[in-house]
């Protein structure tokens, strides 16, 4: 899914592909925006939960209704200009974002955008077989009929289709993609995904650009996503056996190892979650949706600081949410959450859980720390699970969720642990040694609370209760970790 920031919410009007690789200084805005988040109403929280988000860290709208602007789910709507925005944007940008007064001019712009995006895509996809004719896709999806609508993302609709040769396809259309950032992000996504080739990554079949519709085409996953299978409408239809859960964990770790360590240019996915893992007929996982992905650092610097925080609540690594610090470790953290989902069959956020345990991570951590491992196990698999695989998966999840990115292992180490029984003893010893380690990432208490609060946006309406509950949870969750220096960015 391509996450596009409309200029109404992101006053840095550079294309976000430029933002992606830009280094920018950390300021206090992430803390500020977190405070704003806490003030959202329940209705606002519900609107954003479970979907990818984009949090512009630029300090805007502070005199507006608290919270909401920072959390507006990217909808690709035409930017609406409020008077107070004009104070902080250049006149040129302001004029450009005014409502259209010359429709013909708009049409010309659109034509220009379309031909520009086609030109860029042609440079990326040199194989003409990767260009789909719009009418072919229309026919394959019965004119993009409602019955063939199989999924909706934050910014996209996905349709099932059958080509004339009988091949099943998934046709993903970016919503209202007439905006310049949308086209830039689409090209960026196609550029990354077309450079990848791995059995556990959903490969691109091709693209189509029709007027302002930006379309990408993939092989159809007949089973659907891991989210649907574990938690959603498919649940019950396909109870995932322990064997398959373990296989999915290994396959997904292999996909991430490929992205981080085997590609000529490393890739950080930034939106690893169960809805972005598709399952093949044999229940092999395929990582999909590279809309938020970015090239990893190729220089000696291990991370970059991003102006925008994008991703999905419940899966965001603390250092990324708080400071915009991005490295391959953000994918490792999110993978840890997916492991917990596979082990427990629970959602990353469960509003019905007792206060302080609404987040899967917060529910699981005390159980792991106290050795109550069996309580983590999904009752659906208690009769079929394999003890040593279970232990490795729990240990791997616990390490992936290490608060400090520096001490969090990389995906290759996690993959080794998942695969090899002999690794377990070594990892347990390391765990004990870690008690004396020096943590270079300290999150101010208040900020950490806010981070956790945001992970549970949907579940708390009572602000004061929310904060104290977070405080308790934060203390119990992280009290055992070693700490000292302030985070240096
Ligand atoms: N190749 C595919 N085969 C079958 N179903 C698919 C395929 N690709 C996507 N889907 C379905 O469409 C849904 C929406 O996908 P999409 O990647 O647009 O958004 P998302 O990841 O669910 O949400 P968001 O865009 O907010 O991150 C997926 O969750 C999945 O159910």
């Amino acid at each position: 899914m391509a996450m596009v920031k409309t200029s109404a919410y992101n006053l840095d009007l550079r294309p976000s592909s430029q933002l992606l690789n830009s280094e920018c200084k950390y300021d206090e805005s992430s803390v500020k925006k977190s405070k704003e988040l806490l003030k959202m109403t329940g209705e606002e929280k519900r609107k954003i939960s479970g979907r990818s988000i984009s949090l512009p860290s630029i300090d805007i709208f502070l005199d507006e209704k608290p919270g909401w602007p920072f959390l507006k789910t990217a909808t690709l709507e035409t930017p609406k200009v409020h008077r107070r925005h004009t104070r902080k944007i250049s006149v040129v940008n302001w004029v450009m974002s005014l409502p259209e007064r010359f429709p013909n001019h708009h049409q010309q712009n659109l034509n220009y955008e379309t031909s520009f995006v086609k030109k860029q895509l042609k440079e990326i996809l040199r194989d003409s077989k990767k260009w789909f004719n719009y009418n072919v896709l229309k026919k394959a999806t019965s004119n993009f009929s409602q019955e063939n609508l199989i999924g909706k993302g934050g910014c996209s609709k996905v349709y099932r289709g059958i080509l004339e040769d009988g091949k099943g396809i998934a046709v993903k259309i970016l919503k209202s993609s007439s905006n310049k950032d949308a086209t830039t992000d689409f090209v960026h996504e196609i550029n990354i995904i077309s450079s990848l080739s791995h059995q556990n990554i959903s490969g691109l079949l091709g693209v189509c650009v029709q007027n302002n519709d930006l379309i990408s085409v993939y092989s159809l996953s007949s089973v659907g996503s891991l989210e649907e299978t574990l938690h959603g409408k498919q649940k019950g239809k396909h109870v995932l056996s322990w064997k398959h859960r373990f296989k999915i964990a290994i396959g997904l770790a292999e996909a991430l190892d490929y992205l981080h360590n085997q590609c000529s240019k490393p890739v950080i996915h930034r939106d690893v979650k169960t809805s972005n893992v598709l399952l093949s007929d044999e229940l092999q996982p395929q990582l999909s949706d590279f809309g938020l992905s970015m090239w990893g650092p190729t220089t000696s610097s291990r991370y970059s600081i991003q102006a925008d925080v994008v991703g999905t609540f419940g899966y965001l690594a603390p250092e990324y949410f708080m400071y915009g610090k991005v490295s391959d470790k953000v994918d490792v953290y999110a993978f840890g959450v997916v492991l917990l989902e596979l082990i427990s069959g629970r959602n990353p956020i469960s509003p019905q859980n007792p206060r302080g345990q609404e987040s899967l991570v917060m529910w699981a951590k005390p159980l792991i720390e106290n050795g109550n491992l069996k309580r983590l196990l999904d009752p659906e698999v208690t009769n079929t699970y394999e003890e040593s695989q279970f232990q490795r998966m729990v240990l791997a999840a616990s390490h992936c969720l290490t608060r400090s990115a520096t001490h969090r292992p990389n995906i290759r180490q996690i993959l080794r642990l998942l695969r090899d029984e002999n690794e377990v003893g070594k990892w347990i010893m390391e765990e004990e040694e870690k008690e004396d380690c020096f943590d270079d990432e300290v999150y101010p208490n208040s900020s950490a609370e806010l981070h956790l609060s945001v992970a549970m946006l949907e579940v708390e309406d009572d602000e004061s209760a929310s904060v104290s509950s977070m405080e308790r949870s934060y203390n119990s969750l992280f009290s055992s970790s070693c700490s000292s220096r302030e985070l240096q960015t």
Side-chain angles (χ1 to χ4, degrees):
M1 180 230 65
M3 175 59 62
V4 182
K5 279 80 49 181
T6 59
S7 55
Y9 302 105
N10 181 351
L11 297 190
D12 185 336
L13 295 177
R14 283 174 299 163
S16 47
S17 55
Q18 282 176 27
L19 283 173
L20 290 176
N21 288 319
S22 69
E23 298 254 342
C24 66
K25 261 184 115 191
Y26 162 65
D27 60 17
E28 293 294 329
S29 61
S30 58
V31 176
K32 234 185 263 170
K33 83 191 167 203
S34 305
K35 285 182 180 157
E36 298 294 328
L37 299 178
L38 278 179
K39 294 179 187 160
M40 291 170 68
T41 65
E43 178 56 23
E44 288 164 345
K45 291 168 187 175
R46 269 184 289 282
K47 279 185 189 156
I48 53 133
S49 67
R51 286 283 155 224
S52 299
I53 52 148
S54 172
L55 302 179
S57 63
I58 294 152
D59 188 13
I60 55 171
F61 292 110
L62 287 181
D63 48 353
E64 173 112 45
K65 192 176 170 196
W68 170 236
F70 295 119
L71 282 167
K72 186 86 175 174
T73 309
T75 55
L76 306 183
E77 284 165 7
T78 308
K80 294 185 182 72
V81 175
H82 302 277
R83 251 188 324 141
R84 55 173 63 84
H85 302 165
T86 61
R87 282 191 239 136
K88 295 191 181 184
I89 61 175
S90 74
V91 174
V92 175
N93 286 334
W94 174 68
V95 170
M96 284 173 70
S97 60
L98 283 172
E100 192 58 66
R101 274 182 281 176
F102 306 103
N104 287 344
H105 185 230
H106 175 76
Q107 189 53 45
Q108 276 169 14
N109 273 347
L110 211 63
N111 293 343
Y112 174 75
E113 276 297 321
T114 306
S115 56
F116 185 65
V117 77
K118 277 186 176 166
K119 186 167 168 273
Q120 286 190 307
L121 288 172
K122 278 194 176 129
E123 277 166 23
I124 297 167
L125 304 169
R126 287 163 191 268
D127 181 356
S128 61
K129 288 198 207 103
K130 297 238 167 185
W131 281 90
F132 278 84
N133 180 299
Y134 187 70
N135 289 329
V136 168
L137 297 179
K138 225 168 131 181
K139 194 169 167 205
T141 56
S142 314
N143 208 2
F144 300 104
S145 66
Q146 225 20 55
E147 304 85 76
N148 283 326
L149 182 64
I150 51 172
K152 277 188 191 174
C155 311
S156 57
K157 284 185 175 175
V158 181
Y159 294 87
R160 180 194 306 110
I162 308 282
L163 293 176
E164 277 191 341
D165 63 4
K167 184 172 174 49
I169 53 171
V171 182
K172 188 164 166 174
I173 308 187
L174 225 56
K175 283 181 208 161
S176 338
S177 39
S178 56
N179 150 317
K180 185 158 189 299
D181 281 352
T183 53
T184 311
D185 286 355
F186 182 74
V187 171
H188 173 78
E189 178 177 3
I190 299 302
N191 193 13
I192 289 192
I193 197 161
S194 62
S195 73
L196 307 173
S197 167
H198 189 272
Q199 57 170 352
N200 296 116
I201 289 178
S202 174
L204 178 78
L205 293 179
V207 296
C208 171
V209 178
Q210 174 78 9
N211 299 328
N212 60 340
D213 279 341
L214 301 174
I215 304 173
S216 49
V217 184
Y218 303 86
S219 290
L220 182 71
S221 150
S222 52
V223 178
S225 72
L226 177 58
E227 182 196 39
E228 290 164 333
T229 313
L230 260 182
H231 316 299
K233 52 182 191 275
Q234 306 261 27
K235 193 175 168 152
K237 208 163 109 191
H238 295 275
V239 172
L240 275 180
S241 68
W242 176 262
K243 195 177 107 203
H244 284 124
R245 292 180 197 214
F246 190 70
K247 195 166 95 174
I248 289 167
I250 298 271
L252 187 54
E254 282 174 349
L256 291 173
D257 182 43
Y258 167 78
L259 292 180
H260 297 173
N261 304 312
Q262 292 170 43
C263 291
S264 51
K265 245 172 138 183
V267 172
I268 303 171
H269 186 279
R270 283 208 298 179
D271 203 13
V272 174
K273 57 176 176 175
T274 49
S275 71
N276 284 339
V277 178
L278 301 169
L279 298 175
S280 72
D281 289 342
E282 299 78 38
L283 300 176
Q284 273 289 351
Q286 295 203 306
L287 183 60
S288 70
D289 195 351
F290 283 74
L292 301 185
S293 61
M294 57 182 276
W295 300 115
T298 43
T299 58
S300 55
S301 75
R302 283 174 296 127
Y303 61 83
S304 63
I305 304 291
Q306 298 298 313
D308 285 356
V309 174
V310 291
T312 302
F313 291 119
Y315 295 90
L316 294 175
E319 75 281 5
Y320 182 40
F321 181 78
M322 295 312 304
Y323 302 107
K325 189 175 164 185
V326 178
S327 68
D328 54 0
K329 302 288 182 76
V330 301
D331 286 348
V332 175
Y333 184 93
F335 177 68
V337 180
V338 173
L339 284 180
L340 285 184
E341 288 181 73
L342 286 166
I343 295 165
S344 67
R346 289 173 176 243
N347 279 297
I349 300 199
S350 304
Q352 71 282 4
N353 277 9
R355 209 170 260 183
Q357 297 182 4
E358 299 93 337
S359 130
L360 180 57
V361 176
M362 284 163 58
W363 170 79
K365 280 245 179 176
L367 295 178
I368 298 174
E369 279 162 10
N370 299 328
N372 285 328
L373 301 191
K374 289 289 150 55
R375 284 197 46 210
L376 294 170
L377 195 60
D378 186 345
E380 303 265 18
V381 293
T382 37
N383 296 328
T384 55
Y385 85 104
E386 214 260 79
E387 180 65 30
S388 102
Q389 290 178 351
F390 167 72
Q391 283 188 8
R392 276 178 280 152
M393 255 169 89
V394 173
L395 198 55
S398 149
H399 279 277
C400 288
L401 297 168
T402 302
R403 186 173 62 99
S404 151
T406 313
H407 293 114
R408 197 177 303 145
N410 60 40
I411 197 67
R412 180 147 297 176
Q413 293 168 301
I414 292 294
L415 185 56
R416 214 179 298 138
L417 168 61
L418 284 173
R419 279 184 181 144
D420 186 356
E421 286 179 35
N422 300 324
E423 289 278 315
V424 176
K426 207 172 85 188
W427 282 72
I428 290 174
M429 260 166 58
E430 274 173 21
E431 179 99 315
E432 282 158 11
E433 279 163 21
K434 233 170 71 179
E435 296 297 316
D436 307 319
C437 72
F438 190 66
D439 188 347
D440 65 348
E441 290 163 329
V442 172
Y443 304 101
N445 263 358
S446 57
S447 313
E449 286 163 24
L450 293 164
H451 158 67
L452 291 171
S453 312
V454 168
M456 297 189 294
L457 275 166
E458 190 177 38
V459 298
E460 278 292 356
D461 284 348
D462 176 342
E463 279 174 34
S464 56
S466 169
V467 173
S468 60
S469 156
M470 292 314 116
E471 211 158 1
R472 275 199 311 279
S473 311
Y474 168 74
N475 289 334
S476 69
L477 189 57
F478 296 133
S479 57
S480 64
S481 57
C482 30
S483 64
S484 41
R485 260 182 298 141
E486 282 289 316
L487 177 88
Q488 305 287 321
T489 56

